[in-house]
Amino acid sequence: CTTAYHAFLELLGTIDLTHRQQRLSVPVFDGNGRRSDLWAANLPLGLHLAIGFLQYRHLSWRQKFQVVRALGSLRRLCEDGRSRLETITFSEWLQEQGQAPDTVRDFWDFLVIPTLNCRASQASAAQALFVLEEGFLRSSSSAALGVPAAGLSELHVDPAVRYIKVRGGKVSVRAGVELFEESSEGGITSLRLRNGERRVFDAY
């Protein structure tokens, strides 16, 4: 679902420095070390996750029913319902959909912690539902995982600096910005570095 990041790596020419799945396949271990896999099948959208989810052993049938009900509510969200998502947490939205605390802990937090780096109680409902829609409901391959096969400097930094320099740009490091200087109309006209140097650009 990280299409912008994928496009960034393609722009830098480093997409081949990653290992990418064709479809989601990930082993999940519970606290007792028992394994159950989550995986996507080569089936039409909507059915691609069904078999793997039904076979997933870390959730009870009650919990699975709650998850399916919440996903159904997400598919039916109207524009008015979406407008309030920015003002509530994901856990508040889940409670409205009848998700029990153990379902939030065992499934929704399991998805939200690695994608948004927080629990459902701390996540924006809008951001969490965006991840679900893009990652699980957009296409049969959008939940597939990718991992880097190189360090982040090789993957991001060095090629990004090269990309800028080849196009006549310059990258300044250890050039802390003290403030942005504004015109009387409110637009930014320049910036001042901590060493007192003033710099002017076309865009800020």
Side-chain angles (χ1 to χ4, degrees), residues 28-76:
V28 182
F29 297 88
D30 68 9
N32 296 317
R34 293 177 303 175
R35 172 177 173 164
S36 186
D37 292 5
L38 274 178
W39 52 278
N42 187 20
L43 292 171
L45 183 64
L47 298 175
H48 64 296
L49 294 170
I51 299 174
F53 183 69
L54 289 174
Q55 294 178 350
Y56 186 61
R57 295 186 298 169
H58 297 329
L59 295 177
S60 67
W61 286 107
R62 171 186 59 82
Q63 291 174 306
K64 290 177 183 178
F65 175 76
Q66 290 178 0
V67 169
V68 170
R69 185 169 59 185
L71 290 175
S73 297
L74 173 58
R75 297 298 290 263
R76 296 188 300 271

CSV table of all heavy atoms in Angstrom, one decimal, residues 28-76:
chain,number,residue,atom,x,y,z
A,28,VAL,N,2.8,-15.7,11.8
A,28,VAL,CA,2.5,-15.0,13.0
A,28,VAL,C,2.6,-15.9,14.2
A,28,VAL,O,2.0,-17.0,14.2
A,28,VAL,CB,1.1,-14.3,12.9
A,28,VAL,CG1,0.8,-13.5,14.2
A,28,VAL,CG2,1.0,-13.5,11.7
A,29,PHE,N,3.3,-15.5,15.2
A,29,PHE,CA,3.5,-16.4,16.4
A,29,PHE,C,2.8,-15.7,17.6
A,29,PHE,O,3.0,-14.5,17.8
A,29,PHE,CB,5.0,-16.6,16.7
A,29,PHE,CG,5.7,-17.3,15.6
A,29,PHE,CD1,6.3,-16.6,14.6
A,29,PHE,CD2,5.8,-18.7,15.7
A,29,PHE,CE1,7.0,-17.3,13.6
A,29,PHE,CE2,6.5,-19.4,14.7
A,29,PHE,CZ,7.1,-18.7,13.6
A,30,ASP,N,2.1,-16.5,18.4
A,30,ASP,CA,1.4,-15.9,19.6
A,30,ASP,C,2.4,-16.0,20.7
A,30,ASP,O,3.6,-16.4,20.6
A,30,ASP,CB,0.1,-16.6,19.9
A,30,ASP,CG,0.3,-18.1,20.3
A,30,ASP,OD1,1.5,-18.5,20.6
A,30,ASP,OD2,-0.7,-18.8,20.4
A,31,GLY,N,2.0,-15.6,21.9
A,31,GLY,CA,2.8,-15.5,23.1
A,31,GLY,C,3.4,-16.9,23.5
A,31,GLY,O,4.4,-16.9,24.2
A,32,ASN,N,2.7,-17.9,23.1
A,32,ASN,CA,3.2,-19.3,23.4
A,32,ASN,C,4.0,-19.9,22.3
A,32,ASN,O,4.4,-21.1,22.4
A,32,ASN,CB,2.0,-20.2,23.7
A,32,ASN,CG,1.2,-19.7,25.0
A,32,ASN,OD1,1.8,-19.3,26.0
A,32,ASN,ND2,-0.1,-19.7,24.8
A,33,GLY,N,4.3,-19.1,21.3
A,33,GLY,CA,5.2,-19.6,20.2
A,33,GLY,C,4.4,-20.4,19.1
A,33,GLY,O,5.0,-21.0,18.2
A,34,ARG,N,3.1,-20.5,19.2
A,34,ARG,CA,2.3,-21.2,18.2
A,34,ARG,C,2.2,-20.3,16.9
A,34,ARG,O,2.0,-19.1,17.0
A,34,ARG,CB,0.9,-21.5,18.7
A,34,ARG,CG,0.9,-22.5,19.9
A,34,ARG,CD,-0.5,-22.7,20.4
A,34,ARG,NE,-1.1,-21.4,20.8
A,34,ARG,CZ,-2.4,-21.3,21.1
A,34,ARG,NH1,-3.2,-22.3,21.1
A,34,ARG,NH2,-2.8,-20.1,21.5
A,35,ARG,N,2.4,-21.0,15.8
A,35,ARG,CA,2.4,-20.3,14.5
A,35,ARG,C,1.1,-20.4,13.8
A,35,ARG,O,0.5,-21.5,13.8
A,35,ARG,CB,3.6,-20.8,13.7
A,35,ARG,CG,3.6,-20.3,12.2
A,35,ARG,CD,4.7,-20.8,11.5
A,35,ARG,NE,4.6,-20.5,10.0
A,35,ARG,CZ,5.6,-20.5,9.2
A,35,ARG,NH1,6.8,-20.9,9.6
A,35,ARG,NH2,5.5,-20.2,7.9
A,36,SER,N,0.7,-19.3,13.1
A,36,SER,CA,-0.4,-19.4,12.2
A,36,SER,C,0.0,-18.3,11.1
A,36,SER,O,0.4,-17.2,11.4
A,36,SER,CB,-1.7,-19.1,12.8
A,36,SER,OG,-2.8,-19.2,11.9
A,37,ASP,N,-0.3,-18.6,9.9
A,37,ASP,CA,0.1,-17.8,8.8
A,37,ASP,C,-1.1,-16.9,8.3
A,37,ASP,O,-2.2,-17.3,8.3
A,37,ASP,CB,0.6,-18.6,7.6
A,37,ASP,CG,1.9,-19.3,7.9
A,37,ASP,OD1,2.4,-19.2,9.0
A,37,ASP,OD2,2.5,-19.9,7.0
A,38,LEU,N,-0.7,-15.7,7.9
A,38,LEU,CA,-1.7,-14.8,7.2
A,38,LEU,C,-1.2,-14.7,5.8
A,38,LEU,O,0.0,-14.4,5.5
A,38,LEU,CB,-1.7,-13.4,7.8
A,38,LEU,CG,-2.7,-13.2,9.0
A,38,LEU,CD1,-2.6,-11.8,9.5
A,38,LEU,CD2,-4.1,-13.5,8.6
A,39,TRP,N,-2.1,-15.0,4.8
A,39,TRP,CA,-1.6,-15.0,3.4
A,39,TRP,C,-2.8,-14.6,2.5
A,39,TRP,O,-3.9,-14.7,2.9
A,39,TRP,CB,-1.1,-16.4,3.1
A,39,TRP,CG,-2.0,-17.5,3.4
A,39,TRP,CD1,-2.1,-18.1,4.6
A,39,TRP,CD2,-2.9,-18.2,2.5
A,39,TRP,NE1,-3.0,-19.1,4.5
A,39,TRP,CE2,-3.5,-19.2,3.2
A,39,TRP,CE3,-3.1,-18.0,1.1
A,39,TRP,CZ2,-4.4,-20.0,2.6
A,39,TRP,CZ3,-4.1,-18.9,0.5
A,39,TRP,CH2,-4.7,-19.9,1.3
A,40,ALA,N,-2.4,-14.2,1.3
A,40,ALA,CA,-3.3,-13.8,0.3
A,40,ALA,C,-3.3,-14.8,-0.8
A,40,ALA,O,-2.2,-15.2,-1.2
A,40,ALA,CB,-3.0,-12.4,-0.2
A,41,ALA,N,-4.4,-15.2,-1.3
A,41,ALA,CA,-4.5,-16.1,-2.4
A,41,ALA,C,-4.6,-15.4,-3.7
A,41,ALA,O,-4.9,-14.2,-3.8
A,41,ALA,CB,-5.7,-17.1,-2.2
A,42,ASN,N,-4.3,-16.1,-4.8
A,42,ASN,CA,-4.5,-15.5,-6.2
A,42,ASN,C,-5.9,-15.6,-6.6
A,42,ASN,O,-6.3,-16.4,-7.5
A,42,ASN,CB,-3.6,-16.3,-7.1
A,42,ASN,CG,-3.5,-15.6,-8.5
A,42,ASN,OD1,-3.9,-14.5,-8.7
A,42,ASN,ND2,-3.2,-16.4,-9.5
A,43,LEU,N,-6.7,-14.8,-5.9
A,43,LEU,CA,-8.2,-14.8,-6.1
A,43,LEU,C,-8.6,-13.4,-6.4
A,43,LEU,O,-7.9,-12.4,-6.0
A,43,LEU,CB,-8.9,-15.4,-4.9
A,43,LEU,CG,-8.7,-16.9,-4.7
A,43,LEU,CD1,-9.4,-17.3,-3.4
A,43,LEU,CD2,-9.4,-17.7,-5.9
A,44,PRO,N,-9.8,-13.1,-6.9
A,44,PRO,CA,-10.3,-11.8,-7.1
A,44,PRO,C,-10.3,-11.0,-5.8
A,44,PRO,O,-10.4,-11.5,-4.7
A,44,PRO,CB,-11.7,-12.0,-7.6
A,44,PRO,CG,-11.7,-13.3,-8.2
A,44,PRO,CD,-10.8,-14.1,-7.4
A,45,LEU,N,-10.2,-9.7,-5.9
A,45,LEU,CA,-10.2,-8.8,-4.8
A,45,LEU,C,-11.5,-9.0,-4.0
A,45,LEU,O,-12.6,-9.1,-4.5
A,45,LEU,CB,-10.2,-7.3,-5.3
A,45,LEU,CG,-10.2,-6.2,-4.2
A,45,LEU,CD1,-8.9,-6.3,-3.4
A,45,LEU,CD2,-10.3,-4.8,-4.8
A,46,GLY,N,-11.4,-9.1,-2.7
A,46,GLY,CA,-12.5,-9.4,-1.8
A,46,GLY,C,-12.4,-10.8,-1.3
A,46,GLY,O,-12.8,-11.1,-0.2
A,47,LEU,N,-11.9,-11.7,-2.1
A,47,LEU,CA,-11.8,-13.1,-1.8
A,47,LEU,C,-10.3,-13.5,-1.5
A,47,LEU,O,-10.0,-14.5,-0.9
A,47,LEU,CB,-12.3,-14.0,-2.9
A,47,LEU,CG,-13.8,-13.9,-3.2
A,47,LEU,CD1,-14.1,-14.8,-4.4
A,47,LEU,CD2,-14.6,-14.3,-2.0
A,48,HIS,N,-9.4,-12.6,-1.9
A,48,HIS,CA,-8.0,-12.9,-1.8
A,48,HIS,C,-7.4,-13.2,-0.4
A,48,HIS,O,-6.5,-13.9,-0.2
A,48,HIS,CB,-7.1,-11.8,-2.5
A,48,HIS,CG,-7.2,-10.5,-1.8
A,48,HIS,ND1,-8.3,-9.7,-1.7
A,48,HIS,CD2,-6.2,-9.8,-1.2
A,48,HIS,CE1,-8.1,-8.6,-1.1
A,48,HIS,NE2,-6.8,-8.6,-0.7
A,49,LEU,N,-8.0,-12.5,0.6
A,49,LEU,CA,-7.6,-12.7,2.0
A,49,LEU,C,-8.5,-13.7,2.7
A,49,LEU,O,-8.2,-14.0,3.9
A,49,LEU,CB,-7.5,-11.4,2.7
A,49,LEU,CG,-6.5,-10.4,2.2
A,49,LEU,CD1,-6.7,-9.1,2.8
A,49,LEU,CD2,-5.1,-10.9,2.5
A,50,ALA,N,-9.6,-14.1,2.1
A,50,ALA,CA,-10.7,-14.8,2.9
A,50,ALA,C,-10.2,-16.2,3.4
A,50,ALA,O,-10.4,-16.5,4.6
A,50,ALA,CB,-11.9,-15.0,2.0
A,51,ILE,N,-9.5,-17.0,2.5
A,51,ILE,CA,-9.1,-18.3,2.9
A,51,ILE,C,-8.1,-18.2,4.1
A,51,ILE,O,-8.2,-18.9,5.1
A,51,ILE,CB,-8.5,-19.1,1.7
A,51,ILE,CG1,-9.6,-19.2,0.7
A,51,ILE,CG2,-8.0,-20.5,2.2
A,51,ILE,CD1,-9.1,-19.9,-0.6
A,52,GLY,N,-7.0,-17.4,3.9
A,52,GLY,CA,-6.0,-17.2,4.9
A,52,GLY,C,-6.6,-16.8,6.2
A,52,GLY,O,-6.2,-17.2,7.3
A,53,PHE,N,-7.6,-15.8,6.1
A,53,PHE,CA,-8.2,-15.3,7.4
A,53,PHE,C,-9.0,-16.4,8.1
A,53,PHE,O,-9.0,-16.5,9.3
A,53,PHE,CB,-9.0,-14.1,7.0
A,53,PHE,CG,-9.6,-13.4,8.2
A,53,PHE,CD1,-8.8,-12.7,9.2
A,53,PHE,CD2,-11.0,-13.5,8.4
A,53,PHE,CE1,-9.4,-12.1,10.3
A,53,PHE,CE2,-11.6,-12.9,9.6
A,53,PHE,CZ,-10.8,-12.2,10.5
A,54,LEU,N,-9.8,-17.1,7.3
A,54,LEU,CA,-10.6,-18.2,7.9
A,54,LEU,C,-9.7,-19.2,8.6
A,54,LEU,O,-10.1,-19.8,9.6
A,54,LEU,CB,-11.5,-18.8,6.9
A,54,LEU,CG,-12.7,-17.9,6.4
A,54,LEU,CD1,-13.4,-18.6,5.2
A,54,LEU,CD2,-13.6,-17.6,7.5
A,55,GLN,N,-8.5,-19.5,8.0
A,55,GLN,CA,-7.7,-20.5,8.6
A,55,GLN,C,-6.8,-20.0,9.7
A,55,GLN,O,-6.0,-20.7,10.3
A,55,GLN,CB,-6.8,-21.1,7.5
A,55,GLN,CG,-7.6,-21.9,6.5
A,55,GLN,CD,-6.7,-22.4,5.4
A,55,GLN,OE1,-5.5,-22.1,5.2
A,55,GLN,NE2,-7.3,-23.3,4.5
A,56,TYR,N,-6.8,-18.7,10.0
A,56,TYR,CA,-5.9,-18.0,10.9
A,56,TYR,C,-6.3,-18.5,12.3
A,56,TYR,O,-7.4,-18.2,12.8
A,56,TYR,CB,-6.0,-16.5,10.8
A,56,TYR,CG,-5.1,-15.7,11.6
A,56,TYR,CD1,-3.7,-15.8,11.4
A,56,TYR,CD2,-5.5,-14.8,12.6
A,56,TYR,CE1,-2.8,-15.1,12.2
A,56,TYR,CE2,-4.7,-14.0,13.3
A,56,TYR,CZ,-3.3,-14.2,13.1
A,56,TYR,OH,-2.4,-13.4,13.9
A,57,ARG,N,-5.4,-19.1,13.1
A,57,ARG,CA,-5.7,-19.8,14.3
A,57,ARG,C,-5.6,-18.9,15.6
A,57,ARG,O,-6.0,-19.3,16.6
A,57,ARG,CB,-4.8,-21.0,14.5
A,57,ARG,CG,-5.0,-22.1,13.4
A,57,ARG,CD,-4.2,-23.3,13.7
A,57,ARG,NE,-2.8,-23.0,13.7
A,57,ARG,CZ,-1.8,-23.8,14.2
A,57,ARG,NH1,-2.2,-25.0,14.7
A,57,ARG,NH2,-0.6,-23.5,14.1
A,58,HIS,N,-5.1,-17.7,15.4
A,58,HIS,CA,-4.9,-16.8,16.6
A,58,HIS,C,-6.2,-16.0,16.9
A,58,HIS,O,-6.1,-15.2,17.9
A,58,HIS,CB,-3.7,-15.9,16.4
A,58,HIS,CG,-2.4,-16.6,16.2
A,58,HIS,ND1,-2.1,-17.8,16.9
A,58,HIS,CD2,-1.3,-16.3,15.5
A,58,HIS,CE1,-0.9,-18.2,16.5
A,58,HIS,NE2,-0.4,-17.3,15.7
A,59,LEU,N,-7.2,-16.2,16.2
A,59,LEU,CA,-8.5,-15.5,16.5
A,59,LEU,C,-9.6,-16.5,16.6
A,59,LEU,O,-9.6,-17.5,15.9
A,59,LEU,CB,-8.9,-14.5,15.4
A,59,LEU,CG,-8.0,-13.3,15.1
A,59,LEU,CD1,-8.5,-12.5,13.9
A,59,LEU,CD2,-7.9,-12.4,16.4
A,60,SER,N,-10.5,-16.3,17.5
A,60,SER,CA,-11.7,-17.2,17.6
A,60,SER,C,-12.7,-16.8,16.5
A,60,SER,O,-12.6,-15.8,15.9
A,60,SER,CB,-12.4,-17.0,19.0
A,60,SER,OG,-12.9,-15.7,19.1
A,61,TRP,N,-13.7,-17.7,16.3
A,61,TRP,CA,-14.7,-17.4,15.3
A,61,TRP,C,-15.5,-16.1,15.7
A,61,TRP,O,-15.9,-15.4,14.8
A,61,TRP,CB,-15.7,-18.6,15.2
A,61,TRP,CG,-15.0,-19.7,14.4
A,61,TRP,CD1,-14.6,-20.9,14.9
A,61,TRP,CD2,-14.7,-19.7,13.0
A,61,TRP,NE1,-14.0,-21.7,14.0
A,61,TRP,CE2,-14.1,-21.0,12.8
A,61,TRP,CE3,-14.9,-18.8,12.0
A,61,TRP,CZ2,-13.6,-21.3,11.5
A,61,TRP,CZ3,-14.4,-19.2,10.7
A,61,TRP,CH2,-13.8,-20.4,10.5
A,62,ARG,N,-15.7,-15.9,17.0
A,62,ARG,CA,-16.4,-14.6,17.4
A,62,ARG,C,-15.6,-13.4,17.0
A,62,ARG,O,-16.1,-12.4,16.4
A,62,ARG,CB,-16.6,-14.6,18.9
A,62,ARG,CG,-17.0,-13.3,19.5
A,62,ARG,CD,-17.1,-13.3,21.0
A,62,ARG,NE,-15.7,-13.6,21.6
A,62,ARG,CZ,-14.8,-12.7,21.7
A,62,ARG,NH1,-15.0,-11.4,21.3
A,62,ARG,NH2,-13.6,-13.0,22.3
A,63,GLN,N,-14.3,-13.5,17.2
A,63,GLN,CA,-13.4,-12.4,16.8
A,63,GLN,C,-13.4,-12.2,15.3
A,63,GLN,O,-13.4,-11.0,14.8
A,63,GLN,CB,-12.0,-12.6,17.3
A,63,GLN,CG,-11.9,-12.5,18.8
A,63,GLN,CD,-10.5,-12.9,19.3
A,63,GLN,OE1,-9.9,-14.0,19.0
A,63,GLN,NE2,-9.8,-12.0,20.1
A,64,LYS,N,-13.3,-13.3,14.5
A,64,LYS,CA,-13.3,-13.2,13.1
A,64,LYS,C,-14.6,-12.5,12.6
A,64,LYS,O,-14.6,-11.7,11.6
A,64,LYS,CB,-13.1,-14.6,12.5
A,64,LYS,CG,-11.7,-15.1,12.7
A,64,LYS,CD,-11.6,-16.6,12.1
A,64,LYS,CE,-10.2,-17.1,12.4
A,64,LYS,NZ,-10.1,-18.5,11.9
A,65,PHE,N,-15.7,-12.9,13.2
A,65,PHE,CA,-17.0,-12.3,12.8
A,65,PHE,C,-17.0,-10.8,13.0
A,65,PHE,O,-17.4,-10.0,12.2
A,65,PHE,CB,-18.1,-12.9,13.5
A,65,PHE,CG,-19.5,-12.3,13.3
A,65,PHE,CD1,-20.1,-12.6,12.1
A,65,PHE,CD2,-20.0,-11.4,14.2
A,65,PHE,CE1,-21.4,-11.9,11.8
A,65,PHE,CE2,-21.2,-10.8,13.9
A,65,PHE,CZ,-21.9,-11.1,12.7
A,66,GLN,N,-16.4,-10.4,14.2
A,66,GLN,CA,-16.3,-8.9,14.5
A,66,GLN,C,-15.4,-8.2,13.5
A,66,GLN,O,-15.8,-7.1,13.0
A,66,GLN,CB,-15.7,-8.7,15.9
A,66,GLN,CG,-16.7,-9.1,17.0
A,66,GLN,CD,-16.1,-9.0,18.4
A,66,GLN,OE1,-15.0,-8.5,18.5
A,66,GLN,NE2,-16.8,-9.3,19.4
A,67,VAL,N,-14.3,-8.8,13.1
A,67,VAL,CA,-13.4,-8.2,12.1
A,67,VAL,C,-14.1,-8.0,10.8
A,67,VAL,O,-14.1,-6.9,10.1
A,67,VAL,CB,-12.1,-9.0,11.9
A,67,VAL,CG1,-11.3,-8.5,10.7
A,67,VAL,CG2,-11.3,-9.0,13.2
A,68,VAL,N,-14.8,-9.1,10.3
A,68,VAL,CA,-15.5,-9.0,9.0
A,68,VAL,C,-16.6,-7.9,9.1
A,68,VAL,O,-16.8,-7.2,8.1
A,68,VAL,CB,-16.1,-10.4,8.7
A,68,VAL,CG1,-17.1,-10.3,7.5
A,68,VAL,CG2,-15.0,-11.4,8.4
A,69,ARG,N,-17.3,-7.8,10.2
A,69,ARG,CA,-18.3,-6.8,10.4
A,69,ARG,C,-17.7,-5.4,10.3
A,69,ARG,O,-18.3,-4.5,9.6
A,69,ARG,CB,-19.1,-6.9,11.7
A,69,ARG,CG,-20.2,-6.0,11.9
A,69,ARG,CD,-21.1,-6.4,13.1
A,69,ARG,NE,-20.3,-6.4,14.3
A,69,ARG,CZ,-20.7,-6.8,15.5
A,69,ARG,NH1,-22.0,-7.3,15.6
A,69,ARG,NH2,-20.0,-6.8,16.6
A,70,ALA,N,-16.6,-5.2,10.9
A,70,ALA,CA,-15.9,-3.8,10.8
A,70,ALA,C,-15.5,-3.5,9.4
A,70,ALA,O,-15.6,-2.4,8.9
A,70,ALA,CB,-14.7,-3.8,11.8
A,71,LEU,N,-14.9,-4.5,8.7
A,71,LEU,CA,-14.5,-4.3,7.3
A,71,LEU,C,-15.7,-4.0,6.4
A,71,LEU,O,-15.6,-3.1,5.5
A,71,LEU,CB,-13.8,-5.5,6.8
A,71,LEU,CG,-12.4,-5.7,7.4
A,71,LEU,CD1,-11.8,-7.0,6.9
A,71,LEU,CD2,-11.4,-4.6,7.1
A,72,GLY,N,-16.8,-4.6,6.7
A,72,GLY,CA,-18.1,-4.3,6.0
A,72,GLY,C,-18.5,-2.9,6.2
A,72,GLY,O,-18.9,-2.2,5.3
A,73,SER,N,-18.4,-2.4,7.5
A,73,SER,CA,-18.7,-1.0,7.8
A,73,SER,C,-17.8,0.0,7.1
A,73,SER,O,-18.2,1.0,6.6
A,73,SER,CB,-18.7,-0.8,9.3
A,73,SER,OG,-19.6,-1.6,10.0
A,74,LEU,N,-16.5,-0.4,7.0
A,74,LEU,CA,-15.6,0.4,6.2
A,74,LEU,C,-16.0,0.6,4.8
A,74,LEU,O,-15.9,1.7,4.2
A,74,LEU,CB,-14.2,-0.1,6.4
A,74,LEU,CG,-13.1,0.5,5.6
A,74,LEU,CD1,-13.0,2.0,5.9
A,74,LEU,CD2,-11.7,-0.2,5.8
A,75,ARG,N,-16.4,-0.5,4.2
A,75,ARG,CA,-16.8,-0.5,2.7
A,75,ARG,C,-18.0,0.4,2.5
A,75,ARG,O,-18.1,1.0,1.4
A,75,ARG,CB,-17.0,-1.9,2.2
A,75,ARG,CG,-15.8,-2.8,2.2
A,75,ARG,CD,-14.7,-2.4,1.4
A,75,ARG,NE,-14.9,-2.4,0.0
A,75,ARG,CZ,-14.6,-3.4,-0.8
A,75,ARG,NH1,-13.9,-4.5,-0.3
A,75,ARG,NH2,-14.8,-3.4,-2.1
A,76,ARG,N,-18.8,0.5,3.5
A,76,ARG,CA,-20.1,1.3,3.4
A,76,ARG,C,-20.0,2.7,3.9
A,76,ARG,O,-20.9,3.5,3.9
A,76,ARG,CB,-21.2,0.6,4.1
A,76,ARG,CG,-21.6,-0.8,3.6
A,76,ARG,CD,-22.8,-1.4,4.2
A,76,ARG,NE,-22.7,-1.5,5.7
A,76,ARG,CZ,-22.2,-2.6,6.3
A,76,ARG,NH1,-21.8,-3.6,5.6
A,76,ARG,NH2,-22.1,-2.6,7.6
